[in-house]
Amino acid sequence: MASRPGLLTDWPWTPLGSFKYLVVVPLVIDSIYSYATMRDIDKLLIVAVVVWRIVHSQIWISFARYQTAKGTKRIVNKSVEFDQVDRERTWDDQVIFNALIVYLTKVYVLGTNTIPFWRVDGMIQVALLHAGPVEFIYYWFHRALHHHFLYSRYHSHHHSSIVTEPITSVVHPFAEHIGYTLILGIPLVMTLLSGTVSVVSIALYVTYIDFMNNLGHCNFELIPRSFFSLFPPLKFLCYTPSFHSLHHTQFRTNYSLFMPMYDYIYGTNDKCSDSLYESSLDQVEEKPDAIHLTHLTSLDSIYHLRLGFASLSSHPLSSQCYLFLMRPISLIISFILTSFSSRTFVFERNRFGDLTLHSHLLPKFSSHYKLQQQKESINKMIETAILEAEKKDVRVMSLGLLNQGEELNGYGEMYVRKYPKLKIRIVDGSSLAAAVVVHSIPPGTREVLFRGQITKVARAIVISLCQSGIKVMVLHEEEHCMLARFIGGHCKENLVLTTNDYPMIWLVGDGLSKKEQKMAREGTLFLPYSQFPHREHRKDCFYHTTPAMIIPDTAQNIDSCENWLGRRVMSAWRVGGIVHALEGWEEHECGLDVPIINPPRVWEAALRNGFKPLLLPSFRDQMIGKFIENSSY
């Protein structure tokens, strides 16, 4: 939002929110009807161009985020945060707006007349009209927008993004877009009036505008030196990402649309344009201090990645109705990704003080980890990722989600045994995950019920609680026997087998059934120690999130959510790797037979580095306190 929003700031369909595409539903219906009854293909082509523009922009945002995560040829080395992502969610409003204008032109101007598919003279006219009137008028219009009156009411909204992304290019108030449409529509209107317009000229010109807009805001230098060395005058006919980036950091230079010639003519070109271009091209891939290795979860998770839909990745993982409609496309993308990609790749970059953390994706879904025939290939990809990180002198690699499965690789121990001289430290994060669960138990709790798969984290939690004098009740004799083997001395008395006594605090892991949830008393708090959340079958009970912590306020470049967790919240397993790197610990934290690192030490180190516990809302704590108080009588 501009600092002092002016008239026509909001789009007409803003009140519709995520349902704004209902505006174009009549257009789609009419285009299908017109083709079916009159074989009028023009309206269908309008719909096709709309879809192409959205796909084109999404390709750019995914590619740009991948490049900036790697650090190669990055221009502005600053962070993108949630407020920018929220502000830029309206990037597709201009697609809807332009579609409506073209559709109305077709209905009320062309009528039943059709336009030719291709005309060479029309293409030439569009190119000349853009290089002449469009670039000239836009230059002065843009300079006018930087006058304090218009800037404070309109253009400051766009310049709120210092670090640009491709979709930043079209994030403007509605009134500003009206002006841009009038200017950029000159070539199409003139060719329409002269009778030289064609389908190809419209589609190519719209694609050219989108391409150049995305190029100029991608925040990594894409134009090679050879482009200008072959024909130096191109410097005045085609801008570079670094050229326009200076406009966002300096504000009073480089006003041109796509052709910098008017900046050179009127002396508004930034003197640092050439040097920034050269330095950006020389920017090498960034070396991280730590890497977190995760994988895809559900089919829809491909869109929730930071490389996916920005509006989805900035919110916790959830199913959206339109994603269901995209299921065929999702299946195709997932098949290509999992079948033809045999290496992990970086998709996110974060900063914690002087520590650089990269998140890498192993292109497999959770379902793949349950298949015996997939285990060898998964382990091979993890092993390759570890060895590549070792060559880059990465200090720590944390294994997220099922990449540390006991049956898969023994919580990472397989790699340490195979390569005993590894300098990189492998971390499974179990110590911090156990500590987070223990500290999530409300103060004054005397007994808890344990139910779920007995994992490394589960053992550490049960041992810690029994040593603290808290009774741990289990429902099954098999679980009782397995846990009792790890508890020594008088502490074993605190491990109790029960069939009818259900405390108000349940520690739950994988394997908790709907039937067992229904056995819990009203107001029970379910505390998961598992990697994945449970399906909530009880509305009268409370469900905490999977072990996680709130990250420090100083953490940078946090603009996406980790799976189902909220904003600026990270899983305890991921935080465990970060803390390991921040503290400079030299030991591995992985393996089933290796004693778990002292959870209190890891917990204290996490708090010392600014991480905070993810607490339940206060009203829940009060209700839980009342239940504990009542159950003690």
Side-chain angles (χ1 to χ4, degrees):
M1 189 67 69
S3 54
R4 298 171 58 189
L7 186 66
L8 295 179
T9 290
D10 292 328
W11 293 83
W13 44 81
T14 297
L16 294 177
S18 57
F19 294 98
K20 60 188 176 184
Y21 276 94
L22 290 174
V23 174
V24 298
V25 169
L27 186 159
V28 175
I29 295 174
D30 182 52
S31 65
I32 296 173
Y33 176 78
S34 298
Y35 180 74
T37 57
M38 298 179 291
R39 287 296 183 265
D40 185 354
I41 198 174
D42 288 352
K43 293 178 182 177
L44 271 181
L45 290 174
I46 296 173
V47 177
V49 171
V50 169
V51 174
W52 162 241
R53 293 187 69 190
I54 294 172
V55 172
H56 182 201
S57 296
Q58 183 56 50
I59 292 171
W60 266 104
I61 186 65
S62 299
F63 182 48
R65 287 191 162 193
Y66 171 70
Q67 283 293 122
T68 52
K70 288 175 59 180
T72 309
K73 301 178 182 178
R74 187 169 53 231
I75 300 169
V76 179
N77 191 19
K78 293 183 179 179
S79 63
V80 175
E81 304 295 339
F82 281 113
D83 58 347
Q84 178 173 337
V85 177
D86 291 338
R87 186 172 59 252
E88 295 179 352
R89 291 186 67 182
T90 60
W91 68 269
D92 52 348
D93 282 341
Q94 49 89 30
V95 177
I96 298 174
F97 179 54
N98 296 156
L100 293 176
I101 290 177
V102 175
Y103 174 76
L104 293 174
T105 302
K106 164 62 182 173
V107 172
Y108 294 105
V109 178
L110 292 175
T112 57
N113 296 326
T114 59
I115 60 176
F117 182 76
W118 166 263
R119 285 194 61 154
V120 177
D121 53 352
M123 291 292 300
I124 296 173
Q125 286 181 26
V126 167
L128 294 175
L129 286 168
H130 175 84
V134 170
E135 287 284 345
F136 179 77
I137 296 172
Y138 177 90
Y139 173 83
W140 287 107
F141 178 65
H142 194 180
R143 288 193 66 170
L145 287 173
H146 278 261
H147 184 275
H148 66 86
F149 181 85
L150 293 177
Y151 185 83
S152 61
R153 287 164 175 77
Y154 298 105
H155 202 52
S156 58
H157 178 73
H158 177 68
H159 275 275
S160 298
S161 302
I162 304 298
V163 183
T164 60
E165 294 196 289
I167 54 178
T168 306
S169 61
V170 289
V171 177
H172 302 276
F174 177 50
E176 213 173 309
H177 263 293
I178 294 175
Y180 294 142
T181 302
L182 291 173
I183 296 171
L184 295 172
I186 290 174
L188 301 182
V189 172
M190 295 302 293
T191 53
L192 177 64
L193 294 176
S194 64
T196 58
V197 70
S198 67
V199 171
V200 173
S201 66
I202 295 173
L204 284 183
Y205 185 56
V206 170
T207 300
Y208 167 76
I209 291 171
D210 288 344
F211 180 88
M212 296 301 291
N213 262 329
N214 290 324
L215 171 72
H217 293 80
C218 67
N219 196 35
F220 68 94
E221 192 49 72
L222 189 61
I223 309 297
R225 292 185 178 92
S226 58
F227 184 78
F228 298 111
S229 61
L230 292 174
F231 188 61
L234 283 174
K235 173 182 178 179
F236 307 107
L237 299 177
C238 180
Y239 75 169
T240 64
S242 55
F243 182 91
H244 190 71
S245 178
L246 282 167
H247 176 70
H248 277 262
T249 56
Q250 305 303 318
F251 300 105
R252 295 291 183 180
T253 59
N254 297 4
Y255 293 102
S256 294
L257 179 56
F258 307 138
M259 301 179 176
M261 56 184 172
Y262 292 110
D263 277 308
Y264 286 96
I265 291 173
Y266 296 108
T268 54
N269 62 300
D270 196 290
K271 308 306 179 186
C272 298
S273 298
D274 292 340
S275 60
L276 181 61
Y277 170 74
E278 294 293 336
S279 62
S280 299
L281 284 176
D282 293 335
Q283 187 78 20
V284 297
E285 183 174 343
E286 185 178 50
K287 183 186 81 66
D289 301 299
I291 291 176
H292 178 70
L293 184 61
T294 186
H295 60 79
L296 296 162
T297 53
S298 64
L299 187 62
D300 292 341
S301 65
I302 57 177
Y303 303 115
H304 284 264
L305 285 174
R306 188 177 183 273
L307 303 184
F309 294 169
S311 58
L312 290 183
S313 65
S314 62
H315 292 85
L317 180 63
S318 61
S319 297
Q320 303 289 341
C321 58
Y322 60 86
L323 291 183
F324 179 78
L325 299 176
M326 294 175 60
R327 191 55 56 91
I329 299 175
S330 304
L331 290 171
I332 295 173
I333 295 174
S334 62
F335 175 76
I336 295 173
L337 188 62
T338 57
S339 300
F340 299 99
S341 181
S342 59
R343 301 172 68 88
T344 64
F345 57 88
V346 61
F347 69 93
E348 189 172 357
R349 165 186 170 269
N350 309 120
R351 292 282 297 178
F352 295 85
D354 294 330
L355 182 82
T356 299
L357 170 71
H358 281 191
S359 294
H360 284 220
L361 183 76
L362 193 150
K364 298 289 183 181
F365 291 91
S366 297
S367 56
H368 288 102
Y369 288 76
K370 300 175 184 178
L371 303 175
Q372 187 65 35
Q373 61 268 31
Q374 290 286 340
K375 290 184 178 180
E376 183 179 352
S377 63
I378 291 173
N379 272 322
K380 184 64 177 177
M381 280 191 273
I382 298 175
E383 181 180 324
T384 302
I386 292 173
L387 296 179
E388 288 180 351
E390 173 87 350
K391 292 179 181 178
K392 296 178 181 178
D393 295 325
V394 178
R395 287 152 44 195
V396 172
M397 175 172 284
S398 56
L399 304 178
L401 297 178
L402 300 179
N403 288 324
Q404 54 165 273
E406 181 177 351
E407 295 182 0
L408 181 68
N409 50 45
Y411 299 101
E413 185 177 8
M414 183 179 77
Y415 313 117
V416 176
R417 288 184 178 274
K418 187 173 182 179
Y419 301 99
K421 295 184 179 180
L422 277 178
K423 294 180 180 179
I424 186 173
R425 298 309 171 196
I426 310 301
V427 176
D428 61 23
S430 299
S431 298
L432 186 58
V436 166
V437 175
V438 170
H439 285 84
S440 297
I441 298 174
T445 300
R446 299 179 181 178
E447 56 186 22
V448 300
L449 186 138
F450 173 88
R451 175 67 192 100
Q453 183 178 345
I454 299 176
T455 62
K456 182 179 178 180
V457 173
R459 285 170 23 208
I461 294 170
V462 172
I463 292 171
S464 176
L465 294 178
C466 288
Q467 289 175 346
S468 301
I470 298 176
K471 286 188 177 181
V472 179
M473 300 181 177
V474 294
L475 297 175
H476 304 288
E477 186 174 355
E478 181 183 359
E479 292 177 353
H480 182 272
C481 293
M482 292 180 65
L483 289 170
R485 290 185 301 174
F486 302 105
I487 304 173
H490 67 280
C491 296
K492 191 174 293 188
E493 299 175 356
N494 292 321
L495 184 66
V496 180
L497 180 64
T498 184
T499 56
N500 53 13
D501 187 11
Y502 306 128
M504 299 302 298
I505 310 296
W506 283 39
L507 304 179
V508 294
D510 296 330
L512 178 70
S513 66
K514 179 179 179 181
K515 179 180 178 181
E516 288 170 332
Q517 289 190 41
K518 293 199 175 216
M519 293 164 52
R521 293 152 60 185
E522 181 181 351
T524 294
L525 169 63
F526 292 99
L527 284 175
Y529 63 83
S530 54
Q531 296 266 16
F532 295 87
H534 297 85
R535 181 170 296 179
E536 301 178 5
H537 294 290
R538 294 284 299 273
K539 294 183 179 180
D540 59 346
C541 295
F542 305 120
Y543 294 81
H544 202 9
T545 184
T546 52
M549 298 189 79
I550 301 172
I551 63 175
D553 295 335
T554 54
Q556 297 179 345
N557 210 43
I558 310 295
D559 61 355
S560 61
C561 294
E562 183 181 353
N563 296 314
W564 44 83
L565 298 174
R567 291 185 169 186
R568 299 190 71 84
V569 175
M570 286 186 178
S571 68
W573 291 271
R574 187 178 180 186
V575 174
I578 297 170
V579 171
H580 206 96
L582 288 171
E583 292 292 310
W585 291 333
E586 292 298 326
E587 65 270 27
H588 295 287
E589 187 198 338
C590 61
L592 184 62
D593 298 328
V594 178
I596 195 166
I597 293 179
N598 186 4
R601 183 184 77 152
V602 181
W603 174 258
E604 291 168 4
L607 297 179
R608 187 168 59 249
N609 284 284
F611 293 92
K612 302 174 184 177
L614 185 62
L615 302 176
L616 287 167
S618 57
F619 79 93
R620 290 187 179 183
D621 287 340
Q622 292 173 5
M623 292 190 68
I624 293 166
K626 290 179 180 179
F627 281 117
I628 293 173
E629 183 179 352
N630 294 336
S631 64
S632 63
Y633 288 103

